[in-house]
Amino acid sequence: MAELPNTTMANECKVKLKSKDDKIFEVEYAVAMQSQTLKNALAHTGCTDTALPLHDISSQILAKVIEYCEYHVNAANTISEKDVKTWDEELVKHMDQDTLFRLIVAAKYLEIHNLVDLMCKTIADRIKDKSVEELREIFHVQNDFTPEEEEQVRRETKWAHGE
Amino acid sequence: MAPSRMGLNDFPDSLLCLILTRVPLDQAIRCSVLSKRWKLLWRFLPILDFSDDMLYSSARLPSARLPEIQNIIDGILKLHSVSLEAFDFHGVFTSSISSAKIDEWIHHAALKDVTKLRLQFRRVVAVPTSVFTCCKLRSLTLMNFSLENMHGSFSGFPCLVSLFLVNIKLNDKTLELMLPLCPVLRGLFVLDCHGLQRVKICSTSLLLLKLDFPPSCNEIKAITAKCPRLCSLTIQIMHHVEKMEFELPICSDLSTTVSRLEPFTALKSLMKVAFLNGIYEGNVSNLHQFPYLTQICIDNARYLARNISGAAPLLKNLEQAHLNVASLNDAIPLLAYLLQHAPAMKTLIVSRQQGFDGALEFVNMLFNLPRASKEAKILLSLKNFKGSE
């Protein structure tokens, strides 16, 4: 829930964002307010023509973030919750893992809570019901246990492994 | 700087924990085998959700293993880290755990400064005493318990913001004593509870109150609420209550199954009213007692008046009306009244419980009714009418 911004600022302010690869994106004030990080930054600087640099976010990911925020700002009072949910699901349905991961990191940095939630749920759904080996492979986790160490951990939590 | 190909391992611990809380607990713990870094990660899960679908993610758990769960949960709690945000404990498996053990676990959660507690056991028992030791609670949900006595040394929940009591065997005294012990309580939900006779809700912090009594409940003799900050009131009760007194000076939102206006006439700040079980004759012409009323919703409109007095004062602020009717005849007298007495009317929604014909005649009839303000544009929306646009 965003606070009601000062009307003049809301109507006239356009927020400029600069991606990692120096691309400038211009968004409405209300859209930028979906991000707690941007909200705090703008509270200090006020409406400015200088673009806010986002060093770790590529233009591809930033575009997706903006797409999400713009939809949600417009949907706030006009679109049913069910339809919003469907839109969210469509957004992530065919997203490749790399994009998914980069998006959640960006969302966390920008503190866009409902996007972080959506991303967590999506990744959790992809983790669910996979075996340990599958998880290692899909998510590029390097196994640094020695065989003995791994055996010990398995023993400690053997009920979780369905034994 | 993010690497060229991102893996789960590149996330900070806090983000991984956030993701793991959405995965069934057994799978989250299974991840401890992924790598050294993951070994202890699950111990920092801020939420421990012990419920049927989170504890065992698939149907592979045979009922024979239920007794083992007690040891499993014991093990989990002992290994888990220092602080705990939420502890959720409900499901079929609760019937195989001893009360003493559950008490011990909740006490464990209390020591970890748990802020959100949700308990629902299979069988109705007294609320575990350890619940009253969780002094950092901000949200408490209790389902299927009996709460007839307060523990003598209970000093209250100083941080409690939301309290949900669902299917609880209560008594008047306990409820009355509980409220002052929760000084910052903002939301109180008493749903499907029994054992109450004279409900008394007094709280200076409460913003939202919902009282939903089961249809079988017929013992309530009085309901009084005195809450200077309350904004939203929901009262659902099927039988007639002799005495209902509400001292809620800033309450702007009312939703009720009571079909009369008298109990609520003191709510002068009402802006939005929903009568879920219709409204009796004679009451409609008293709607002007709510000078700020902008929105009215009448569901299940069976008792609508045939002869509503036309001489009542105007409903100056009424902008939106939503009627859910069984037949068109029910709707016309009320619509006629509203159109005559609501000069600010902008939106009129008429929906039908079951679809039926006659939309066109209805609309024609409607637009021939005298209107308070001929210039005003009224958006008419018909729902569930066959052949309507």
Side-chain angles (χ1 to χ4, degrees), chain B residues 139-246:
Chain B
S139 166
L140 176 60
T141 303
L142 296 171
M143 302 198 209
N144 276 1
F145 286 100
S146 92
L147 182 57
E148 289 176 296
N149 292 304
M150 204 83 77
H151 208 244
S153 58
F154 177 47
S155 55
F157 293 122
C159 312
L160 198 68
V161 166
S162 317
L163 178 60
F164 289 80
L165 301 171
V166 183
N167 196 13
I168 306 284
K169 186 155 194 293
L170 274 172
N171 59 37
D172 299 334
K173 190 142 183 254
T174 313
L175 188 58
E176 209 185 319
L177 284 176
M178 179 81 122
L179 286 173
L181 292 173
C182 306
V184 298
L185 195 68
R186 293 216 287 251
L188 174 63
F189 304 81
V190 179
L191 316 174
D192 283 342
C193 297
H194 34 279
L196 292 167
Q197 287 194 342
R198 286 172 203 285
V199 181
K200 205 167 159 199
I201 312 275
C202 295
S203 163
T204 50
S205 56
L206 211 59
L207 297 181
L208 223 144
L209 174 62
K210 184 166 176 177
L211 302 172
D212 192 342
F213 297 102
S216 57
C217 166
N218 53 7
E219 312 133 347
I220 311 274
K221 295 197 171 61
I223 302 178
T224 45
K226 192 170 162 185
C227 309
R229 291 228 183 109
L230 200 83
C231 297
S232 169
L233 173 66
T234 302
I235 290 209
Q236 298 195 28
I237 184 162
M238 283 308 167
H239 81 278
H240 177 84
V241 176
E242 289 158 23
K243 176 177 157 190
M244 280 205 274
E245 260 170 33
F246 300 112

Side-chain angles (χ1 to χ4, degrees), chain B residues 37-150:
Chain B
R37 186 240 184 140
W38 285 79
K39 182 174 161 194
L40 300 174
L41 212 54
W42 72 268
R43 298 188 194 188
F44 295 92
L45 285 177
I47 298 173
L48 280 182
D49 190 334
F50 294 109
S51 56
D52 284 329
D53 34 67
M54 287 304 269
L55 193 58
Y56 275 86
S57 43
S58 59
R60 350 176 221 126
L61 178 74
S63 49
R65 297 199 67 192
L66 280 176
E68 284 182 39
I69 294 191
Q70 186 162 305
N71 293 330
I72 291 167
I73 298 181
D74 234 357
I76 294 174
L77 284 173
K78 290 210 165 59
L79 287 176
H80 188 265
S81 77
V82 174
S83 74
L84 183 62
E85 265 173 39
F87 187 76
D88 193 325
F89 200 82
H90 71 277
V92 171
F93 72 95
T94 55
S95 49
S96 57
I97 317 269
S98 74
S99 310
K101 221 14 162 162
I102 296 179
D103 212 30
E104 190 190 305
W105 290 338
I106 296 172
H107 185 64
H108 215 80
L111 291 176
K112 291 183 179 174
D113 290 342
V114 67
T115 53
K116 191 167 161 183
L117 191 63
R118 183 187 150 175
L119 300 175
Q120 181 184 3
F121 295 176
R122 210 53 189 330
R123 58 193 194 284
V124 177
V125 294
V127 176
T129 46
S130 53
V131 170
F132 299 103
T133 64
C134 301
C135 47
K136 293 273 170 28
L137 274 184
R138 287 173 52 88
S139 166
L140 176 60
T141 303
L142 296 171
M143 302 198 209
N144 276 1
F145 286 100
S146 92
L147 182 57
E148 289 176 296
N149 292 304
M150 204 83 77

Side-chain angles (χ1 to χ4, degrees), chain B residues 312-381:
Chain B
L314 295 179
L315 302 167
K316 294 204 192 107
N317 288 309
L318 193 65
E319 285 174 11
Q320 194 182 108
H322 183 163
L323 305 182
N324 188 7
V325 296
S327 82
L328 285 176
N329 289 332
D330 284 343
I332 298 288
L334 182 62
L335 285 171
Y337 181 86
L338 288 177
L339 285 170
Q340 261 191 316
H341 289 83
M345 182 75 83
K346 285 202 201 103
T347 312
L348 200 57
I349 305 173
V350 182
S351 55
R352 174 65 163 77
Q353 283 152 15
Q354 288 136 34
F356 65 106
D357 298 313
L360 219 51
E361 290 86 20
F362 179 70
V363 173
N364 276 331
M365 201 186 317
L366 206 57
F367 279 98
N368 284 328
L369 291 172
R371 245 179 282 169
S373 163
K374 296 231 168 7
E375 286 79 39
K377 279 198 178 133
I378 296 182
L379 174 68
L380 175 65
S381 170

